[in-house]
Amino acid sequence: MSVKQNEKADDLIIVDHPVETESPVEKSVREMDIMETLLSGKAIHKNLETSRGVFTAQFPSGHDRLKIDQVRALRRRGIPAESFDDQADLNNNIWSTLDIVIVDGPDWYKKAKKNNPSWSWEEGPDEELILELYNLVRSFRLDIAEKIRQSKLGRPVEKIELTTDTAPVDDGAFSGLTNGPQGGKADR
């Protein structure tokens, strides 16, 4: 999948998904709400620095999460999930997640993928790296999930309520207009 890097906000990278038509007016990344960014068809990437190089992770869309679940099911080869112990299920989740959300990495990673296009994190010999990378991906996902939770997009605008003991301001330039006539007389 080819992506075009647009702009960088904090350490998140917003990229365009290949789409048939693009919006004629694009806001800068700083102006866009995280929900607006995701709903507009853009992906969010983050570079994750590990002990073995920098990897690029993509925030998983619903489609990506479905792919992760499908890969997990393929790894079980039709055996019910309950048949696996907790460690086997955790390994399956880690490998399946990394296989889908890691979209780029250091030269050794690119070489492994080039030499074997079906290469999987299941084949990764460094368990420490795999756990380190998975934990970074998990933190990234949680950070974006929190930004989504805080998003203002689609939420009603808050109303400001005045307290009932607010006293009107008299003798001001608008005192006869805002507070009614003074002393029962109307100024005309």
Side-chain angles (χ1 to χ4, degrees):
M1 176 170 98
S2 72
V3 292
K4 179 183 95 179
Q5 183 173 330
N6 282 346
E7 299 182 40
K8 199 170 179 181
D10 301 320
D11 56 348
L12 302 178
I13 303 164
I14 309 300
V15 295
D16 284 332
H17 284 295
V19 291
E20 293 175 15
T21 61
E22 290 189 5
S23 170
V25 178
E26 290 197 25
K27 295 181 181 179
S28 74
V29 173
R30 293 192 201 310
E31 292 174 353
M32 289 184 83
D33 181 279
I34 197 78
M35 281 283 292
E36 184 178 3
T37 300
L38 292 168
L39 291 172
S40 70
K42 297 186 185 309
I44 299 175
H45 290 186
K46 183 172 182 178
N47 291 328
L48 306 172
E49 193 166 333
T50 70
S51 58
R52 295 200 183 261
V54 177
F55 292 86
T56 303
Q58 176 173 295
F59 179 75
S61 65
H63 182 72
D64 293 330
R65 291 190 306 271
L66 178 61
K67 281 198 254 181
I68 291 168
D69 290 341
Q70 290 169 337
V71 171
R72 289 178 69 197
L74 287 172
R75 281 196 167 100
R76 288 194 297 266
R77 293 175 174 80
I79 300 170
E82 304 81 40
S83 300
F84 293 89
D85 66 20
D86 290 343
Q87 187 61 44
D89 191 49
L90 177 63
N91 285 337
N92 189 358
N93 187 45
I94 290 171
W95 297 327
S96 300
T97 299
L98 295 179
D99 284 347
I100 301 302
V101 302
I102 299 300
V103 295
D104 199 9
D107 289 340
W108 66 263
Y109 169 81
K110 291 176 189 173
K111 185 176 179 182
K113 294 289 278 184
K114 182 179 177 185
N115 292 339
N116 180 5
S118 64
W119 185 89
S120 166
W121 284 97
E122 184 177 3
E123 301 169 43
D126 187 349
E127 287 183 39
E128 189 174 304
L129 169 66
I130 292 170
L131 285 174
E132 177 186 13
L133 189 55
Y134 179 76
N135 285 328
L136 290 169
V137 165
R138 188 171 181 275
S139 293
F140 167 52
R141 286 176 65 176
L142 291 173
D143 289 345
I144 297 300
E146 179 60 23
K147 289 179 189 294
I148 290 169
R149 190 185 70 70
Q150 293 174 358
S151 170
K152 302 287 186 220
L153 187 68
R155 297 192 192 270
V157 178
E158 292 183 30
K159 294 180 180 177
I160 300 173
E161 294 191 28
L162 298 175
T163 58
T164 56
D165 63 343
T166 302
V169 178
D170 287 332
D171 299 330
F174 300 104
S175 63
L177 298 173
T178 59
N179 300 326
Q182 292 180 338
K185 296 183 188 176
D187 295 333
R188 292 194 180 179

